[in-house]
Amino acid sequence: MISFEEILAKYKPDSEERSRIDSLRDNLLKQIHGFLASNRIDARPVLVGSVAKGTNLKGGDLDIFIVFSKKYSTGEMEKTGLKIGHTVIPGGKEKYAEHPYVSGTIDGTKIDIVPCFDITANSKLISSVDRTPLHTDYVLKNIDEKKMDEVRLLKLFMKRAGVYGSEIKVSGFSGYVCEILVIKFGSFIDVIKMFARSKGPVVVSEDDSDVIRFHSAVIIIDPTDRSRNAAAAVSEENLARMKIASKMFLGKPDPGFFGKPKDFVASPYRDRGTVQRIFLLEKPDIIDDVLYSQAIRFKGIIFQILEEEGFYPISSEFAISDEIEVFVECKLEVLPKTKVHTGPPVDTPNVKEFIEKWSLGNAVRGPYICGDRLCVDIELDRRTIEEVVRKRIMEYGIGKNIDPLKNAMKIIDPSKTGRKFLVLGKFYEESIL
Amino acid sequence: MISFEEILAKYKPDSEERSRIDSLRDNLLKQIHGFLASNRIDARPVLVGSVAKGTNLKGGDLDIFIVFSKKYSTGEMEKTGLKIGHTVIPGGKEKYAEHPYVSGTIDGTKIDIVPCFDITANSKLISSVDRTPLHTDYVLKNIDEKKMDEVRLLKLFMKRAGVYGSEIKVSGFSGYVCEILVIKFGSFIDVIKMFARSKGPVVVSEDDSDVIRFHSAVIIIDPTDRSRNAAAAVSEENLARMKIASKMFLGKPDPGFFGKPKDFVASPYRDRGTVQRIFLLEKPDIIDDVLYSQAIRFKGIIFQILEEEGFYPISSEFAISDEIEVFVECKLEVLPKTKVHTGPPVDTPNVKEFIEKWSLGNAVRGPYICGDRLCVDIELDRRTIEEVVRKRIMEYGIGKNIDPLKNAMKIIDPSKTGRKFLVLGKFYEESIL
């Protein structure tokens, strides 16, 4: 039998970590209170995130929101928020979510100081960041020590399955969604049973009428805002992954289902009897969510071009290393020298003109009859993946950060180099377990 | 301006040929009458074909039918017919259409002596051969000298366009159909105008209700049998060819539109940036109609196999030389080393079994999620055109004459040999003009 206690003993913060985090938190809150008082600012610091909710794993972050009165403008709120952040985190860096915020590390713990507005449950939407303190309140009112550990188990399970995190990079389940699920179903194992049993989309709501507006793989109505799907980020594929992991776990419970996600390492080329290409772009200095969404779009466009042009792509993958790496595997390396140019239907008067035009020797073959039309084979000028993609990629807007880099795109045939690529490791080793 | 007189002067039998054919005909008929009388056979010889109808071209055949009373059994009729044939054509050979008959050459003219039964117009069908004397009667009653020459022009035009002949090898228009068309529309040029103007199927009938039962490219109701489509042999492609040739001729009338069909000659390989293969079978000693229909089926099956197995065939052709030659042009020469094996939907309990089976190292990649299912990449054992076609061709019945020859099929890559093939000439030079 599997021992959940042993798993928790390994991944739950120990007493040393807890007391270190507690004193770090107290110290930060004291400093912020001091700043707000001496500058007469109508705001209050609120500890949010998993530490506030008692569902944090070993080595987790400390997130403090500064909740401003709505009397301030967004500009004032953001400016003051950054100032407080820089004051309490020496050497902190500015980052950008819905509002700018300061992020840094103290004593090995990552700390975010995020400004936001004071809103109430189910009130008119201001921004999703502003809603975070409400999530903390909701969870704290509905959770107990036992359930906090159940949430930890669910997070560890989802991490290992590769579906934990609502950022675009993962497109999975957030910590808040884990908390809602455990509160709703009672325990880790009941959540797992729900996923293992479920067919089609997973829906969790108190009122069916709230669900209608959403068309996501997973719909979990936010208890603090009925108009919001807390699980909107979860992709179809990650729901499938979670269903399968749940089925496998129930069949054979094992500690191996908990912990860190599988790590991919760079791999050299493997011969699969296919045509493999890696499209490399310089990595722009932008936040992950923007980077990943543009990289995914880049991958999709490359695949589409190769499909339209007849290289028969069969698989694709992407990875972010020092560069944006897009991998595509095709069946065809070089297009035929000719392509069929379809002319008018044989029943139209245009056939005369078509035949006269193409009988002058500028067709490679024909005119001949193809079905109810005339056709000729004409010469193709661009025939390699490199020629075709370089030309056609310019027709697409991929994203404002990537577009200026398209000209410097490198196209690599991995069979011609000993170099290892992260995207090859990710592709070759992709597996559900 | 084009001179139809000049064309006729070139292709119509001259007086020397006419008197030679006349005396050959008289001599044959006399011999047959003698045989029938001395053996007390209730039958009469009837001259049929284009000579009988006055629509013959230079060097045409002489066809004599022996029309037997219906009191004889089919066996008696056929046996006696062959005996007469051998008597009047020294060294004649037996051939097989609906009834066996004797064919041979006297003074450079090809002669067929064909036995058949005596039937009347629109009577219950006995066989299509038995109907031939009725066709001769119908044409002779409805044609005059002028129209005989119009028929000759139409035949010459159709020959050059490659659509003359109802045998499967051509799948075009018979001489009888040419006669019906000229009788119906009045002249060669009016028939050409009809084809040039027509859209979709071409239909010629006195009564629309006769047409309903047919679904052919061309429907020309036989004036001697309303239940028969005299143009059933014409393929869609040959109708298209005739329409286009008619349009081109009306645009620019030229003697080049009359005469012999374009001849194809054997050609060596030409590089088209594609994968070309020739599939060779020994030519069985059977009549052309059976040979061509089995060869066409053979070509279709090879194409279908290559399509199903993922070689992306784009063109095909066949030719009959000393062998049956089938040509197929593909985009892909060798299949990838792996193929995707699709597993159960993620929502079914079967996923556990599938994952356990394929996680033992016998999958090249995966299991991974593909859409709403699990997939693995598995190793492919047969990857070349040669391996795949040799295996899969055995699953098909192509025809009783070809099936025993499949084992000895040769598969040739024409880029690897200097040898010329008729089918390559036919494919490379295919053109509407």
Side-chain angles (χ1 to χ4, degrees):
Chain A
M1 263 308 292
I2 184 169
S3 160
F4 291 147
E5 285 69 33
E6 281 175 21
I7 292 161
L8 288 168
K10 195 167 164 194
Y11 293 106
K12 189 177 163 175
D14 54 22
S15 59
E16 186 276 322
E17 179 173 347
R18 282 204 300 277
S19 59
R20 187 172 53 76
I21 294 283
D22 284 354
S23 72
L24 184 56
R25 173 198 63 197
D26 292 346
N27 187 277
L28 287 167
L29 290 177
K30 196 176 136 197
Q31 284 187 63
I32 295 166
H33 276 298
F35 185 98
L36 294 172
S38 61
N39 291 282
R40 297 174 182 239
I41 299 161
D42 187 359
R44 61 197 155 84
V46 175
L47 184 71
V48 297
S50 59
V51 170
K53 295 177 279 189
T55 59
N56 55 319
L57 298 171
K58 229 175 221 175
D61 308 347
L62 204 55
D63 300 327
I64 296 173
F65 275 35
I66 319 285
V67 185
F68 284 78
S69 157
K70 279 189 279 188
K71 74 181 180 192
Y72 295 108
S73 73
T74 301
E76 288 170 319
M77 178 269 278
E78 292 182 351
K79 197 180 150 195
T80 312
L82 288 176
K83 199 166 177 187
I84 298 170
H86 285 302
T87 305
V88 303
I89 312 177
K93 285 193 174 157
E94 289 184 19
K95 294 202 168 179
Y96 298 86
E98 288 181 60
H99 306 306
Y101 64 96
V102 176
S103 182
T105 304
I106 298 176
D107 286 350
T109 293
K110 187 172 157 276
I111 297 162
D112 288 345
I113 305 288
V114 182
C116 71
F117 279 122
D118 193 9
I119 59 165
T120 52
N122 284 317
S123 76
K124 189 170 152 291
L125 179 135
I126 301 189
S127 88
S128 66
V129 164
D130 304 328
R131 220 181 285 108
T132 302
L134 302 181
H135 295 168
T136 309
D137 288 351
Y138 167 79
V139 173
L140 287 173
K141 273 180 200 134
N142 290 279
I143 208 164
D144 56 25
E145 287 278 342
K146 175 82 182 61
K147 281 186 178 149
M148 288 173 186
D149 283 349
E150 300 290 325
V151 169
R152 286 187 175 98
L153 290 172
L154 184 56
K155 287 181 177 180
L156 288 164
F157 185 88
M158 286 180 162
K159 271 190 184 232
R160 181 66 186 81
V163 301
Y164 182 69
S166 60
E167 62 272 27
I168 289 173
K169 177 178 176 174
V170 179
S171 298
F173 298 82
S174 66
Y176 181 48
V177 165
C178 290
E179 289 148 359
I180 297 173
L181 287 170
V182 167
I183 290 168
K184 168 87 182 177
F185 294 97
S187 72
F188 162 73
I189 204 75
D190 287 310
V191 173
I192 294 300
K193 282 178 181 165
M194 182 276 289
F195 277 110
R197 268 195 318 262
S198 66
K199 296 195 185 301
V202 163
V203 176
V204 177
S205 76
E206 300 302 321
D207 184 341
D208 283 353
S209 68
D210 293 339
V211 170
I212 302 165
R213 79 185 74 193
F214 301 110
H215 298 280
S216 308
V218 183
I219 302 172
I220 298 178
I221 300 299
D222 184 345
T224 73
D225 181 355
R226 290 172 49 184
S227 69
R228 178 174 175 263
N229 175 13
V234 183
S235 67
E236 297 261 1
E237 187 173 326
N238 277 335
L239 171 59
R241 228 178 268 281
M242 183 62 189
K243 286 173 175 177
I244 290 166
S246 300
K247 283 194 184 83
M248 299 302 288
F249 177 76
L250 292 177
K252 203 174 178 181
D254 186 278
F257 282 94
F258 299 86
K260 287 189 179 169
K262 193 157 75 171
D263 247 1
F264 292 109
V265 294
S267 163
Y269 171 76
R270 283 186 205 165
D271 180 5
R272 290 167 45 89
T274 54
V275 179
Q276 301 181 27
R277 289 291 183 280
I278 297 166
F279 302 83
L280 290 181
L281 287 182
E282 190 188 317
K283 185 169 93 174
D285 187 20
I286 48 179
I287 63 161
D288 268 8
D289 268 10
V290 177
L291 177 64
Y292 277 85
S293 78
Q294 291 190 17
I296 290 167
R297 191 170 146 72
F298 178 52
K299 182 187 78 161
I301 287 167
I302 299 267
F303 194 91
Q304 186 189 330
I305 290 171
L306 291 169
E307 194 152 53
E308 286 175 4
E309 299 285 336
F311 291 98
Y312 304 106
I314 46 180
S315 339
S316 66
E317 186 53 274
F318 83 101
I320 310 284
S321 58
D322 297 340
E323 290 162 292
I324 299 173
E325 304 180 2
V326 163
F327 167 86
V328 183
E329 180 178 45
C330 297
K331 290 194 187 168
L332 205 62
E333 183 153 27
V334 182
L335 298 177
K337 281 188 178 174
T338 65
K339 71 173 203 176
V340 177
H341 171 63
T342 306
V346 293
D347 282 351
T348 60
N350 317 27
V351 297
K352 259 189 59 186
E353 202 188 333
F354 184 84
I355 290 173
E356 278 156 8
K357 175 177 175 191
W358 290 107
S359 298
L360 299 173
N362 35 8
V364 177
R365 178 170 164 260
Y368 55 89
I369 292 164
C370 47
D372 63 343
R373 289 182 171 264
L374 282 178
C375 290
V376 284
D377 292 356
I378 58 173
E379 212 157 324
L380 205 60
D381 47 351
R382 276 180 301 280
R383 295 174 58 212
T384 66
I385 290 178
E386 284 72 11
E387 288 167 321
V388 169
V389 172
R390 266 197 200 293
K391 166 110 194 314
R392 292 225 34 218
I393 193 75
M394 291 303 162
E395 296 165 15
Y396 292 87
I398 297 167
K400 69 170 179 165
N401 307 95
I402 279 189
D403 282 338
L405 309 171
K406 286 189 301 191
N407 263 319
M409 175 176 69
K410 285 182 209 143
I411 305 178
I412 291 172
D413 176 349
S415 75
K416 302 267 174 66
T417 168
R419 187 175 157 192
K420 294 174 179 178
F421 291 93
L422 183 59
V423 74
L424 292 181
K426 203 170 156 191
F427 176 75
Y428 296 145
E429 297 302 334
E430 185 182 1
S431 176
I432 198 75
L433 279 197
Chain B
M1 264 307 293
I2 184 169
S3 159
F4 291 146
E5 286 67 33
E6 282 174 21
I7 292 161
L8 288 168
K10 194 167 165 194
Y11 294 105
K12 190 177 163 175
D14 54 22
S15 58
E16 186 276 322
E17 180 173 348
R18 280 204 302 278
S19 59
R20 186 173 53 77
I21 295 283
D22 283 355
S23 72
L24 184 57
R25 173 199 63 196
D26 292 345
N27 187 277
L28 286 167
L29 291 176
K30 196 176 137 199
Q31 285 186 63
I32 296 166
H33 277 300
F35 185 98
L36 294 172
S38 60
N39 291 283
R40 298 173 184 238
I41 299 162
D42 187 359
R44 61 194 155 86
V46 175
L47 183 71
V48 297
S50 58
V51 170
K53 295 178 280 190
T55 59
N56 55 318
L57 297 171
K58 230 175 221 176
D61 307 348
L62 204 54
D63 299 328
I64 296 173
F65 276 34
I66 318 286
V67 185
F68 284 78
S69 157
K70 278 189 281 185
K71 74 182 180 191
Y72 295 109
S73 71
T74 303
E76 289 170 318
M77 178 270 278
E78 293 181 350
K79 198 180 149 195
T80 314
L82 289 174
K83 200 167 177 187
I84 298 169
H86 285 302
T87 305
V88 303
I89 312 176
K93 284 194 176 157
E94 290 184 19
K95 294 203 169 177
Y96 298 84
E98 288 182 61
H99 306 306
Y101 64 97
V102 176
S103 183
T105 304
I106 298 176
D107 285 350
T109 293
K110 188 171 157 277
I111 297 160
D112 289 344
I113 305 288
V114 181
C116 70
F117 279 121
D118 193 9
I119 60 165
T120 51
N122 282 319
S123 76
K124 190 170 151 288
L125 179 135
I126 301 188
S127 88
S128 66
V129 164
D130 304 328
R131 221 182 284 110
T132 302
L134 301 181
H135 296 168
T136 308
D137 289 349
Y138 167 78
V139 172
L140 286 173
K141 272 182 200 136
N142 290 279
I143 207 163
D144 55 25
E145 287 277 344
K146 175 80 183 63
K147 280 187 180 151
M148 288 175 187
D149 283 348
E150 299 290 325
V151 169
R152 287 188 175 96
L153 289 172
L154 183 56
K155 286 182 178 180
L156 288 163
F157 185 89
M158 286 180 163
K159 270 191 184 232
R160 180 67 187 82
V163 302
Y164 182 70
S166 61
E167 63 272 27
I168 290 174
K169 177 177 176 175
V170 179
S171 297
F173 299 82
S174 67
Y176 181 48
V177 164
C178 291
E179 289 148 0
I180 297 173
L181 287 171
V182 166
I183 290 167
K184 166 86 182 177
F185 294 98
S187 73
F188 162 72
I189 204 75
D190 287 310
V191 173
I192 295 300
K193 281 179 182 164
M194 182 277 289
F195 277 110
R197 267 195 317 262
S198 66
K199 296 195 185 302
V202 163
V203 176
V204 178
S205 77
E206 300 302 321
D207 184 341
D208 283 354
S209 68
D210 293 340
V211 170
I212 301 166
R213 77 186 75 193
F214 301 111
H215 298 280
S216 308
V218 182
I219 302 172
I220 298 177
I221 300 300
D222 185 345
T224 72
D225 181 354
R226 289 172 49 185
S227 70
R228 178 174 175 263
N229 175 12
V234 182
S235 67
E236 297 261 2
E237 187 172 326
N238 278 335
L239 172 59
R241 228 178 269 281
M242 184 61 189
K243 285 174 175 177
I244 290 166
S246 299
K247 283 193 182 85
M248 298 303 287
F249 177 76
L250 291 177
K252 204 174 178 182
D254 186 277
F257 282 93
F258 298 86
K260 288 191 179 168
K262 195 156 73 170
D263 246 1
F264 293 108
V265 294
S267 163
Y269 172 76
R270 284 186 204 165
D271 181 4
R272 291 168 42 90
T274 53
V275 179
Q276 301 180 27
R277 288 291 183 280
I278 296 165
F279 302 83
L280 290 180
L281 287 182
E282 189 188 315
K283 185 169 92 175
D285 187 19
I286 47 179
I287 63 161
D288 269 7
D289 268 10
V290 178
L291 178 64
Y292 277 85
S293 79
Q294 291 190 18
I296 289 167
R297 190 170 147 72
F298 178 52
K299 182 187 79 161
I301 287 168
I302 298 268
F303 194 91
Q304 186 189 329
I305 290 171
L306 291 170
E307 194 152 53
E308 285 174 4
E309 299 285 337
F311 291 98
Y312 304 106
I314 47 180
S315 337
S316 66
E317 187 52 275
F318 82 101
I320 310 284
S321 59
D322 297 341
E323 291 162 293
I324 298 173
E325 305 180 2
V326 163
F327 167 85
V328 184
E329 179 178 46
C330 297
K331 290 194 187 168
L332 204 62
E333 183 153 27
V334 182
L335 298 177
K337 282 188 178 174
T338 66
K339 72 172 203 176
V340 177
H341 172 63
T342 306
V346 293
D347 281 352
T348 60
N350 317 26
V351 297
K352 259 188 61 185
E353 203 189 333
F354 183 84
I355 290 173
E356 278 156 8
K357 174 177 175 192
W358 290 107
S359 297
L360 298 174
N362 35 8
V364 177
R365 179 170 163 259
Y368 56 88
I369 293 163
C370 47
D372 64 341
R373 289 181 171 265
L374 281 178
C375 290
V376 284
D377 292 357
I378 58 172
E379 213 157 322
L380 206 60
D381 47 351
R382 276 180 302 279
R383 294 175 58 212
T384 67
I385 291 178
E386 285 72 11
E387 288 167 321
V388 169
V389 173
R390 265 195 203 294
K391 166 109 193 315
R392 291 225 34 217
I393 194 75
M394 292 303 164
E395 297 166 16
Y396 292 87
I398 297 167
K400 68 170 181 164
N401 307 96
I402 279 190
D403 282 338
L405 310 171
K406 287 190 299 191
N407 263 318
M409 174 176 70
K410 286 184 207 141
I411 304 177
I412 290 172
D413 177 349
S415 75
K416 301 265 173 66
T417 169
R419 188 176 157 190
K420 293 174 180 178
F421 291 93
L422 183 60
V423 74
L424 291 182
K426 202 171 158 194
F427 176 75
Y428 296 145
E429 296 302 333
E430 185 181 1
S431 175
I432 199 74
L433 279 197

